[in-house]
Amino acid sequence: MTDQEPEESEYESRWWELDLRSLALFRVLLGLFVLLTLASFWGDTSAFFTDAGVLPRVDLVESPYANLWLCFHMGSGTWLSQAFLNALLGFFAVGLMAGWRTPWMVAGCWILLNSLQVRNPFVGDRGDLQLSLMLFWAFFLPLGAAWSADAKAGRTPWGKERGLAAAALVTQFGLIYLFAAYYK
């Protein structure tokens, strides 16, 4: 074999390894989906997430559906506090789309999105859970390695494009389609 010929292993398909450009597109779409989730709730913030709405905090705490792990939205029942937390989540989502301080933006999106989902568990669906899981696995991937403010600033990306997190993300997508087809 000459130096010009690629090794046979370069042609292998590795499903547990993700391309940095596809991760950049994934980062932008992930931030967009967080913004769309916020937009879908924005007009109903008072009805769904305040004490004046359909599920006051005291009723949620007394119910068997209470899961108050890391729920900042339970801190206050006013519209202003809920709007502030949702605006902060929007800030993290825009920062994620731009690839600015990407690991921090992913962590902020994941924490505040989970907090929003826990505040009223009756307004979400399985898609919200999938979004939360994608944000969790995204924290371990180098989402800011390409087409981002982090890459432009020369920051070292966090995470690896291959390994457990990449395999888990690919498996998660595969299972979504597998079970959707199974139930049809």
Side-chain angles (χ1 to χ4, degrees), residues 23-86:
L23 286 175
L25 179 62
F26 175 67
R27 181 195 74 237
V28 172
L29 292 175
L30 202 57
L32 181 65
F33 285 137
V34 171
L35 284 178
L36 289 174
T37 299
L38 274 176
S40 71
F41 290 136
W42 187 257
D44 298 320
T45 299
S46 182
F48 290 144
F49 304 110
T50 66
D51 287 341
V54 295
L55 187 62
R57 291 175 299 154
V58 67
D59 292 343
L60 178 61
V61 169
E62 294 173 356
S63 78
Y65 302 104
N67 178 9
L68 305 179
W69 179 81
L70 212 59
C71 185
F72 295 107
H73 285 78
M74 289 292 286
S76 174
T78 65
W79 181 87
L80 187 62
S81 65
Q82 300 301 314
F84 171 75
L85 288 170
N86 290 345

Side-chain angles (χ1 to χ4, degrees), residues 93-106:
V94 170
L96 177 61
M97 290 174 67
W100 179 73
R101 306 282 183 191
T102 308
W104 293 104
M105 297 299 120
V106 171

Side-chain angles (χ1 to χ4, degrees), residues 110-126:
W110 182 72
I111 290 168
L112 286 176
L113 186 68
N114 279 314
S115 175
L116 182 69
Q117 292 169 357
V118 167
R119 174 58 182 92
N120 191 339
F122 303 111
V123 296
D125 60 10
R126 297 310 266 175

Side-chain angles (χ1 to χ4, degrees), residues 92-168:
F92 284 130
V94 170
L96 177 61
M97 290 174 67
W100 179 73
R101 306 282 183 191
T102 308
W104 293 104
M105 297 299 120
V106 171
C109 282
W110 182 72
I111 290 168
L112 286 176
L113 186 68
N114 279 314
S115 175
L116 182 69
Q117 292 169 357
V118 167
R119 174 58 182 92
N120 191 339
F122 303 111
V123 296
D125 60 10
R126 297 310 266 175
D128 295 323
L129 175 63
Q130 293 298 330
L131 181 58
S132 180
L133 287 171
M134 282 188 255
L135 282 166
F136 175 78
W137 291 118
F139 184 73
F140 302 102
L141 296 169
L143 297 185
W147 303 338
S148 68
D150 287 344
K152 189 171 183 169
R155 291 187 196 100
T156 304
W158 168 265
K160 302 262 186 235
E161 67 271 9
R162 67 175 78 173
L164 178 64

